[in-house]
Short mmCIF file of all heavy atoms in Angstrom, two decimals:
data_model
loop_
_atom_site.label_atom_id
_atom_site.label_comp_id
_atom_site.label_asym_id
_atom_site.label_seq_id
_atom_site.Cartn_x
_atom_site.Cartn_y
_atom_site.Cartn_z
N ARG A 50 90.94 60.55 105.29
CA ARG A 50 90.79 61.65 104.34
C ARG A 50 91.52 61.31 103.06
O ARG A 50 92.59 60.73 103.09
CB ARG A 50 91.38 62.94 104.93
CG ARG A 50 90.59 63.45 106.14
CD ARG A 50 91.10 64.80 106.60
NE ARG A 50 91.07 65.83 105.58
CZ ARG A 50 90.01 66.57 105.24
NH1 ARG A 50 88.87 66.36 105.85
NH2 ARG A 50 90.10 67.50 104.32
N ILE A 51 90.91 61.68 101.95
CA ILE A 51 91.53 61.57 100.64
C ILE A 51 91.40 62.93 99.99
O ILE A 51 90.31 63.48 99.87
CB ILE A 51 90.82 60.51 99.76
CG1 ILE A 51 90.88 59.13 100.40
CG2 ILE A 51 91.40 60.50 98.36
CD1 ILE A 51 90.06 58.08 99.68
N GLU A 52 92.52 63.46 99.56
CA GLU A 52 92.51 64.77 98.89
C GLU A 52 92.63 64.56 97.39
O GLU A 52 93.44 63.76 96.94
CB GLU A 52 93.68 65.62 99.38
CG GLU A 52 93.72 66.99 98.78
CD GLU A 52 94.87 67.83 99.28
OE1 GLU A 52 95.48 67.47 100.30
OE2 GLU A 52 95.17 68.85 98.63
N ILE A 53 91.80 65.27 96.64
CA ILE A 53 91.94 65.23 95.18
C ILE A 53 92.17 66.64 94.68
O ILE A 53 91.75 67.62 95.32
CB ILE A 53 90.71 64.60 94.48
CG1 ILE A 53 89.44 65.42 94.71
CG2 ILE A 53 90.50 63.16 94.95
CD1 ILE A 53 88.29 65.00 93.84
N LYS A 54 92.86 66.73 93.57
CA LYS A 54 93.11 68.03 92.96
C LYS A 54 92.43 68.05 91.61
O LYS A 54 92.49 67.09 90.86
CB LYS A 54 94.61 68.26 92.79
CG LYS A 54 95.33 68.41 94.12
CD LYS A 54 96.83 68.50 93.90
CE LYS A 54 97.61 68.76 95.13
NZ LYS A 54 97.44 67.88 96.23
N VAL A 55 91.75 69.16 91.32
CA VAL A 55 91.09 69.35 90.03
C VAL A 55 91.49 70.71 89.48
O VAL A 55 91.89 71.60 90.23
CB VAL A 55 89.55 69.24 90.15
CG1 VAL A 55 89.13 67.83 90.57
CG2 VAL A 55 88.98 70.25 91.12
N LYS A 56 91.39 70.87 88.19
CA LYS A 56 91.73 72.13 87.55
C LYS A 56 90.85 73.26 88.09
O LYS A 56 89.70 73.01 88.49
CB LYS A 56 91.54 72.04 86.04
CG LYS A 56 92.43 71.02 85.40
CD LYS A 56 93.46 71.69 84.56
CE LYS A 56 94.29 70.61 83.87
NZ LYS A 56 95.58 71.06 83.50
N LYS A 57 91.38 74.46 88.09
CA LYS A 57 90.62 75.64 88.55
C LYS A 57 89.28 75.68 87.81
O LYS A 57 89.21 75.46 86.61
CB LYS A 57 91.39 76.93 88.26
CG LYS A 57 92.58 77.13 89.13
CD LYS A 57 92.18 77.66 90.47
CE LYS A 57 93.40 77.97 91.30
NZ LYS A 57 93.07 78.35 92.63
N GLY A 58 88.23 75.97 88.57
CA GLY A 58 86.89 76.05 88.00
C GLY A 58 86.14 74.74 88.04
O GLY A 58 84.91 74.73 88.02
N ARG A 59 86.85 73.63 88.06
CA ARG A 59 86.20 72.32 88.04
C ARG A 59 85.47 72.03 89.36
O ARG A 59 84.42 71.39 89.37
CB ARG A 59 87.26 71.24 87.78
CG ARG A 59 86.73 69.90 87.50
CD ARG A 59 86.68 69.66 85.99
NE ARG A 59 86.36 68.25 85.77
CZ ARG A 59 85.25 67.87 85.19
NH1 ARG A 59 84.39 68.75 84.75
NH2 ARG A 59 85.00 66.59 85.02
N LYS A 60 86.03 72.51 90.46
CA LYS A 60 85.40 72.29 91.77
C LYS A 60 83.98 72.85 91.79
O LYS A 60 83.05 72.20 92.27
CB LYS A 60 86.24 72.94 92.87
CG LYS A 60 85.64 72.81 94.25
CD LYS A 60 86.49 73.52 95.29
CE LYS A 60 85.82 73.52 96.64
NZ LYS A 60 86.59 74.28 97.62
N ALA A 61 83.81 74.05 91.23
CA ALA A 61 82.48 74.67 91.21
C ALA A 61 81.51 73.84 90.38
O ALA A 61 80.34 73.68 90.75
CB ALA A 61 82.57 76.09 90.66
N LEU A 62 81.99 73.29 89.26
CA LEU A 62 81.13 72.44 88.42
C LEU A 62 80.72 71.17 89.15
O LEU A 62 79.56 70.76 89.10
CB LEU A 62 81.85 72.09 87.12
CG LEU A 62 82.15 73.24 86.16
CD1 LEU A 62 83.04 72.76 85.02
CD2 LEU A 62 80.87 73.83 85.63
N ILE A 63 81.68 70.55 89.83
CA ILE A 63 81.40 69.31 90.57
C ILE A 63 80.44 69.59 91.72
O ILE A 63 79.47 68.85 91.94
CB ILE A 63 82.71 68.68 91.09
CG1 ILE A 63 83.56 68.20 89.90
CG2 ILE A 63 82.42 67.53 92.06
CD1 ILE A 63 84.99 67.86 90.26
N THR A 64 80.67 70.67 92.44
CA THR A 64 79.81 71.05 93.56
C THR A 64 78.38 71.30 93.08
O THR A 64 77.41 70.84 93.69
CB THR A 64 80.37 72.29 94.27
OG1 THR A 64 81.69 71.99 94.73
CG2 THR A 64 79.51 72.70 95.46
N ALA A 65 78.24 72.03 91.98
CA ALA A 65 76.91 72.33 91.43
C ALA A 65 76.21 71.06 90.97
O ALA A 65 75.01 70.87 91.20
CB ALA A 65 77.02 73.33 90.29
N PHE A 66 76.97 70.17 90.32
CA PHE A 66 76.39 68.92 89.83
C PHE A 66 75.90 68.07 90.99
O PHE A 66 74.79 67.53 90.96
CB PHE A 66 77.40 68.15 88.99
CG PHE A 66 76.81 66.97 88.27
CD1 PHE A 66 76.18 67.14 87.05
CD2 PHE A 66 76.88 65.70 88.82
CE1 PHE A 66 75.62 66.05 86.39
CE2 PHE A 66 76.33 64.62 88.16
CZ PHE A 66 75.69 64.78 86.94
#
Side-chain angles (χ1 to χ4, degrees):
R50 294 186 57 83
I51 299 173
E52 182 179 345
I53 63 169
K54 292 175 176 55
V55 295
K56 298 249 183 204
K57 289 280 185 186
R59 190 98 171 115
K60 178 182 174 184
L62 294 172
I63 294 167
T64 301
F66 190 84

